[in-house]
């Protein structure tokens, strides 16, 4: 599984080909717009959080990997969005725990 974290500095749409060249199963995109994340037609699932629709935290999955948002979580911690990845490997990404099951 390939995890890519890229602070796209509010320019994900212009860098989409560069991201695609990395062939991520999961993309974590700080400073991404809500439209760039939720409007990605190639993603198998996507979540976004933030105070400004032009600059927040996005997480996308591709191919056989699906994302499930973990609720409830501590919303006092800004720009944290715990998600569970389901696919060839099950993985939980959060602010406090990162666990690989059945690895």
């Amino acid at each position: 599984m390939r995890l890519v974290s890229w602070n796209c500095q509010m320019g994900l749409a212009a860098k989409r080909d560069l991201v695609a060249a990395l062939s991520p199963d999961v993309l974590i995109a700080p400073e991404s717009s809500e439209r760039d994340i939720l409007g990605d037609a190639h993603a198998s699932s996507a979540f976004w959080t933030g105070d400004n629709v032009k600059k927040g935290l996005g997480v996308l999955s591709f191919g056989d990997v699906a994302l499930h948002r973990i609720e409830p979580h501590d919303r006092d911690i800004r720009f944290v969005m715990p998600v569970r990845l389901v696919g060839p490997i099950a993985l939980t990404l959060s602010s406090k725990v990162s666990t690989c099951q059945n690895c």
Side-chain angles (χ1 to χ4, degrees):
M1 179 175 295
R2 182 173 287 198
L3 300 174
V4 173
S5 178
W6 187 348
N7 184 335
C8 58
Q9 300 175 336
M10 303 185 321
L12 182 60
K15 299 169 185 165
R16 192 140 335 259
D17 290 342
L18 297 171
V19 172
L22 297 172
S23 301
D25 295 300
V26 176
L27 172 64
I28 302 164
E31 296 191 19
S32 59
S33 75
E34 181 180 39
R35 181 177 58 181
D36 284 348
I37 298 301
L38 300 181
D40 189 316
H42 301 291
S44 54
S45 51
F47 291 104
W48 183 90
T49 188
D51 299 333
N52 177 340
V53 296
K54 295 182 180 181
K55 188 175 183 180
L57 173 64
V59 182
L60 300 101
S61 66
F62 303 92
D64 295 337
V65 179
L67 299 174
H68 300 278
R69 199 167 186 166
I70 297 172
E71 297 290 351
H73 71 276
D74 186 351
R75 295 194 184 274
D76 290 333
I77 305 172
R78 288 186 68 204
F79 305 114
V80 169
M81 184 175 36
V83 294
R84 176 172 302 281
L85 284 58
V86 179
I89 296 175
L91 183 69
T92 301
L93 300 175
S94 76
S95 61
K96 298 180 182 177
V97 178
S98 185
T99 317
C100 183
Q101 300 171 350
N102 301 323
C103 294

